[in-house]
Protein backbone atom coordinates (compact mmCIF):
# COMPACT_ATOMS: atom_id res chain seq x y z
CA UNK A 1 0.00 0.00 0.00
CA UNK A 2 1.42 3.38 -0.94
CA UNK A 3 0.37 6.99 -1.04
CA UNK A 4 0.74 9.16 -4.12
CA UNK A 5 -1.06 12.11 -5.64
CA UNK A 6 -3.50 11.32 -8.44
CA UNK A 7 -5.84 14.29 -8.76
CA UNK A 8 -9.55 15.11 -8.58
CA UNK A 9 -12.31 12.51 -8.61
CA UNK A 10 -12.66 11.20 -12.18
CA UNK A 11 -16.02 10.84 -13.96
CA UNK A 12 -15.80 8.40 -16.81
CA UNK A 13 -18.16 8.40 -19.79
CA UNK A 14 -18.33 6.93 -23.28
CA UNK A 15 -16.51 10.05 -24.55
CA UNK A 16 -13.62 10.02 -22.10
CA UNK A 17 -12.79 11.21 -18.60
CA UNK A 18 -13.45 14.51 -16.85
CA UNK A 19 -12.41 15.46 -13.34
CA UNK A 20 -14.67 16.83 -10.61
CA UNK A 21 -12.80 19.75 -9.02
CA UNK A 22 -15.31 19.79 -6.13
CA UNK A 23 -13.94 16.40 -5.04
CA UNK A 24 -10.16 16.91 -4.82
CA UNK A 25 -7.67 14.15 -4.13
CA UNK A 26 -7.31 14.04 -0.33
CA UNK A 27 -3.58 13.47 -0.75
CA UNK A 28 -3.13 17.24 -1.02
CA UNK A 29 -4.51 17.65 2.54
CA UNK A 30 -2.52 14.81 4.09
CA UNK A 31 0.63 16.78 4.89
CA UNK A 32 -1.30 19.40 6.87
CA UNK A 33 -3.30 16.70 8.71
CA UNK A 34 -0.22 14.61 9.53
CA UNK A 35 1.81 17.63 10.67
CA UNK A 36 -1.03 18.66 12.99
CA UNK A 37 -1.25 15.10 14.29
CA UNK A 38 2.47 15.08 14.98
CA UNK A 39 2.19 18.42 16.82
CA UNK A 40 -0.70 17.24 19.02
CA UNK A 41 0.54 13.72 19.71
CA UNK A 42 2.22 14.46 23.01
CA UNK A 43 -1.09 14.22 24.91
CA UNK A 44 -2.32 16.34 27.80
CA UNK A 45 -0.02 19.16 28.87
CA UNK A 46 -0.19 22.16 31.18
CA UNK A 47 -1.68 24.19 28.34
CA UNK A 48 -4.75 23.24 26.36
CA UNK A 49 -3.99 25.80 23.67
CA UNK A 50 -1.68 24.76 20.88
CA UNK A 51 0.01 27.01 18.35
CA UNK A 52 1.18 24.93 15.44
CA UNK A 53 4.37 25.96 13.61
CA UNK A 54 4.38 24.58 10.10
CA UNK A 55 7.23 23.00 8.20
CA UNK A 56 8.30 24.68 5.00
CA UNK A 57 9.39 21.48 3.28
CA UNK A 58 7.10 19.05 1.50
CA UNK A 59 7.01 15.55 2.96
CA UNK A 60 7.51 12.68 0.54
CA UNK A 61 4.84 10.01 0.16
CA UNK A 62 7.06 7.64 2.17
CA UNK A 63 7.45 10.17 4.99
CA UNK A 64 3.69 10.73 5.06
CA UNK A 65 3.06 6.99 5.26
CA UNK A 66 5.64 6.58 8.03
CA UNK A 67 3.96 9.30 10.12
CA UNK A 68 0.51 7.83 9.49
CA UNK A 69 1.72 4.42 10.66
CA UNK A 70 3.34 6.04 13.70
CA UNK A 71 0.13 7.73 14.85
CA UNK A 72 -2.65 5.45 13.62
CA UNK A 73 -2.90 1.99 15.13
CA UNK A 74 -3.93 -0.82 12.76
CA UNK A 75 -3.73 1.49 9.75
CA UNK A 76 -3.04 -1.50 7.51
CA UNK A 77 -6.51 -2.88 8.38
CA UNK A 78 -8.05 0.41 7.26
CA UNK A 79 -6.17 0.22 3.97
CA UNK A 80 -7.28 -3.38 3.35
CA UNK A 81 -10.85 -2.10 3.17
CA UNK A 82 -9.75 0.22 0.35
CA UNK A 83 -9.44 -2.77 -1.98
CA UNK A 84 -13.08 -3.60 -1.39
CA UNK A 85 -14.24 0.04 -1.69
CA UNK A 86 -12.33 0.59 -4.94
CA UNK A 87 -13.60 -2.72 -6.33
CA UNK A 88 -17.19 -1.79 -5.41
CA UNK A 89 -16.81 1.65 -7.00
CA UNK A 90 -15.54 0.21 -10.30
CA UNK A 91 -18.09 -2.64 -10.20
CA UNK A 92 -20.95 -0.12 -9.81
CA UNK A 93 -19.66 1.90 -12.76
CA UNK A 94 -19.44 -1.23 -14.95
CA UNK A 95 -22.92 -2.38 -13.89
CA UNK A 96 -24.43 1.00 -14.76
CA UNK A 97 -22.92 0.84 -18.25
CA UNK A 98 -24.23 -2.70 -18.86
CA UNK A 99 -27.72 -1.70 -17.65
CA UNK A 100 -27.87 1.51 -19.71
CA UNK A 101 -30.23 0.66 -22.58
CA UNK A 102 -29.72 4.03 -24.27
CA UNK A 103 -26.17 3.03 -25.30
CA UNK A 104 -25.27 1.00 -28.38
CA UNK A 105 -22.60 -1.71 -28.15
CA UNK A 106 -19.79 0.53 -29.43
CA UNK A 107 -20.63 3.19 -26.84
CA UNK A 108 -20.72 0.57 -24.08
CA UNK A 109 -17.35 -0.81 -25.20
CA UNK A 110 -15.79 2.67 -25.24
CA UNK A 111 -17.18 3.46 -21.79
CA UNK A 112 -16.01 0.15 -20.31
CA UNK A 113 -12.52 0.70 -21.76
CA UNK A 114 -12.37 4.15 -20.16
CA UNK A 115 -13.34 2.62 -16.80
CA UNK A 116 -10.65 -0.03 -17.24
CA UNK A 117 -8.02 2.63 -17.99
CA UNK A 118 -9.00 4.54 -14.82
CA UNK A 119 -9.17 1.51 -12.48
CA UNK A 120 -5.74 2.14 -10.86
CA UNK A 121 -6.56 5.85 -10.56
CA UNK A 122 -9.81 5.10 -8.69
CA UNK A 123 -7.94 2.69 -6.43
CA UNK A 124 -5.33 5.31 -5.47
CA UNK A 125 -8.01 7.97 -5.00
CA UNK A 126 -9.78 5.70 -2.47
CA UNK A 127 -6.50 4.94 -0.62
CA UNK A 128 -5.67 8.65 -0.31
CA UNK A 129 -9.18 9.44 0.90
CA UNK A 130 -9.05 6.70 3.55
CA UNK A 131 -5.61 7.81 4.79
CA UNK A 132 -6.93 11.35 5.21
CA UNK A 133 -10.08 10.15 7.00
CA UNK A 134 -7.99 8.08 9.43
CA UNK A 135 -5.67 11.05 10.07
CA UNK A 136 -8.70 13.21 10.90
CA UNK A 137 -10.08 10.51 13.22
CA UNK A 138 -6.69 10.30 14.97
CA UNK A 139 -6.68 14.11 15.35
CA UNK A 140 -10.12 13.85 16.95
CA UNK A 141 -8.76 11.25 19.39
CA UNK A 142 -5.78 13.47 20.30
CA UNK A 143 -8.08 16.44 20.89
CA UNK A 144 -10.36 14.35 23.11
CA UNK A 145 -7.60 12.61 25.08
CA UNK A 146 -5.50 15.77 25.52
CA UNK A 147 -8.55 17.92 26.39
CA UNK A 148 -7.26 20.39 23.81
CA UNK A 149 -9.34 23.57 23.76
CA UNK A 150 -7.70 25.51 20.96
CA UNK A 151 -5.52 24.88 17.94
CA UNK A 152 -4.05 27.75 15.91
CA UNK A 153 -2.86 27.13 12.37
CA UNK A 154 -1.81 29.36 9.47
CA UNK A 155 -4.48 29.67 6.80
CA UNK A 156 -2.35 28.38 3.94
CA UNK A 157 -1.13 25.03 2.62
CA UNK A 158 -4.53 23.43 3.27
CA UNK A 159 -4.48 23.81 7.08
CA UNK A 160 -7.77 25.73 6.90
CA UNK A 161 -9.40 22.91 4.92
CA UNK A 162 -8.16 20.35 7.45
CA UNK A 163 -9.57 22.19 10.47
CA UNK A 164 -12.87 22.70 8.60
CA UNK A 165 -13.06 18.93 7.92
CA UNK A 166 -12.04 18.24 11.52
CA UNK A 167 -15.16 20.04 12.79
CA UNK A 168 -17.34 17.39 11.11
CA UNK A 169 -15.22 14.57 12.55
CA UNK A 170 -15.49 16.00 16.06
CA UNK A 171 -19.28 16.36 15.72
CA UNK A 172 -19.66 12.71 14.63
CA UNK A 173 -17.77 11.21 17.57
CA UNK A 174 -19.80 8.97 19.91
CA UNK A 175 -19.46 11.75 22.46
CA UNK A 176 -19.71 14.76 20.09
CA UNK A 177 -17.29 17.64 20.59
CA UNK A 178 -18.39 21.15 19.61
CA UNK A 179 -15.91 23.35 17.80
CA UNK A 180 -15.76 26.43 15.62
CA UNK A 181 -13.20 28.15 13.43
CA UNK A 182 -12.30 31.78 14.02
CA UNK A 183 -10.15 33.55 11.44
CA UNK A 184 -7.82 36.32 12.64
CA UNK A 185 -5.34 38.67 11.02
CA UNK A 186 -2.10 38.68 13.04
CA UNK A 187 1.37 40.13 12.54
CA UNK A 188 2.39 36.68 11.22
CA UNK A 189 -0.45 36.60 8.67
CA UNK A 190 -3.94 35.09 8.67
CA UNK A 191 -4.41 32.49 11.40
CA UNK A 192 -7.25 30.04 11.95
CA UNK A 193 -8.25 29.21 15.52
CA UNK A 194 -10.14 25.97 16.08
CA UNK A 195 -11.89 26.59 19.39
CA UNK A 196 -13.05 23.35 21.01
CA UNK A 197 -15.69 22.90 23.73
CA UNK A 198 -15.46 19.66 25.72
CA UNK A 199 -18.58 18.56 27.64
Amino acid sequence: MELKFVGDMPHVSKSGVRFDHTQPDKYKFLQAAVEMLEALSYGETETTKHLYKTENSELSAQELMALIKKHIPNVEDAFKKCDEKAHDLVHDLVTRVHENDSLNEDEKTAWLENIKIMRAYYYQYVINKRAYERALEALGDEIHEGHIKEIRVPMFKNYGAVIADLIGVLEKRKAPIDSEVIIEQTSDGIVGRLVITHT
Side-chain angles (χ1 to χ4, degrees):
M1 204 69 59
E2 65 177 343
L3 296 169
K4 64 180 177 181
F5 179 76
V6 283
D8 299 332
M9 178 69 168
H11 289 288
V12 179
S13 70
K14 63 185 180 185
S15 342
V17 180
R18 66 178 180 79
F19 297 91
D20 184 349
H21 303 304
T22 65
Q23 297 185 61
D25 182 359
K26 298 301 183 186
Y27 182 91
K28 69 193 259 183
F29 305 117
L30 263 176
Q31 175 153 340
V34 167
E35 285 183 351
M36 288 173 61
L37 187 55
E38 182 81 349
L40 299 180
S41 65
Y42 44 81
E44 191 168 3
T45 63
E46 290 180 11
T47 178
T48 56
K49 294 184 179 183
H50 295 264
L51 173 61
Y52 179 59
K53 301 270 187 194
T54 61
E55 297 292 330
N56 287 328
S57 59
E58 286 292 316
L59 296 173
S60 69
Q62 293 78 16
E63 289 169 321
L64 283 173
M65 183 63 90
L67 287 170
I68 286 170
K69 287 180 178 178
K70 174 182 171 184
H71 294 291
I72 302 170
N74 305 319
V75 72
E76 293 298 335
D77 292 340
F79 284 141
K80 283 177 189 170
K81 293 178 184 172
C82 291
D83 287 331
E84 189 178 321
K85 278 188 164 187
H87 173 78
D88 290 346
L89 175 65
V90 171
H91 179 74
D92 288 346
L93 292 170
V94 169
T95 300
R96 280 192 277 167
V97 172
H98 284 302
E99 292 175 352
N100 190 335
D101 295 330
S102 68
L103 298 171
N104 64 40
E105 285 307 310
D106 287 341
E107 291 171 325
K108 284 185 179 182
T109 300
W111 201 327
L112 292 171
E113 280 301 309
N114 289 336
I115 292 170
K116 184 177 176 182
I117 289 166
M118 295 304 292
R119 183 181 300 266
Y121 187 108
Y122 278 117
Y123 179 73
Q124 190 64 53
Y125 183 91
V126 169
I127 287 172
N128 295 346
K129 182 178 179 185
R130 187 61 186 139
Y132 180 63
E133 290 168 348
R134 290 294 288 120
L136 289 176
E137 289 164 14
L139 277 167
D141 292 343
E142 292 293 346
I143 287 167
H144 171 73
E145 291 162 16
H147 302 287
I148 295 166
K149 294 182 182 173
E150 184 176 307
I151 301 169
R152 295 167 63 96
V153 294
M155 294 300 288
F156 69 95
K157 287 192 175 180
N158 299 312
Y159 296 101
V162 171
I163 60 173
D165 289 342
L166 188 54
I167 289 173
V169 170
L170 293 173
E171 286 174 352
K172 291 176 187 168
R173 289 178 62 87
K174 286 184 182 173
I177 299 173
D178 291 329
S179 59
E180 67 173 324
V181 176
I182 299 169
I183 309 297
E184 296 177 341
Q185 177 70 48
T186 70
S187 58
D188 293 330
I190 300 174
V191 171
R193 290 172 51 221
L194 181 64
V195 180
I196 304 148
T197 305
H198 294 268
T199 54

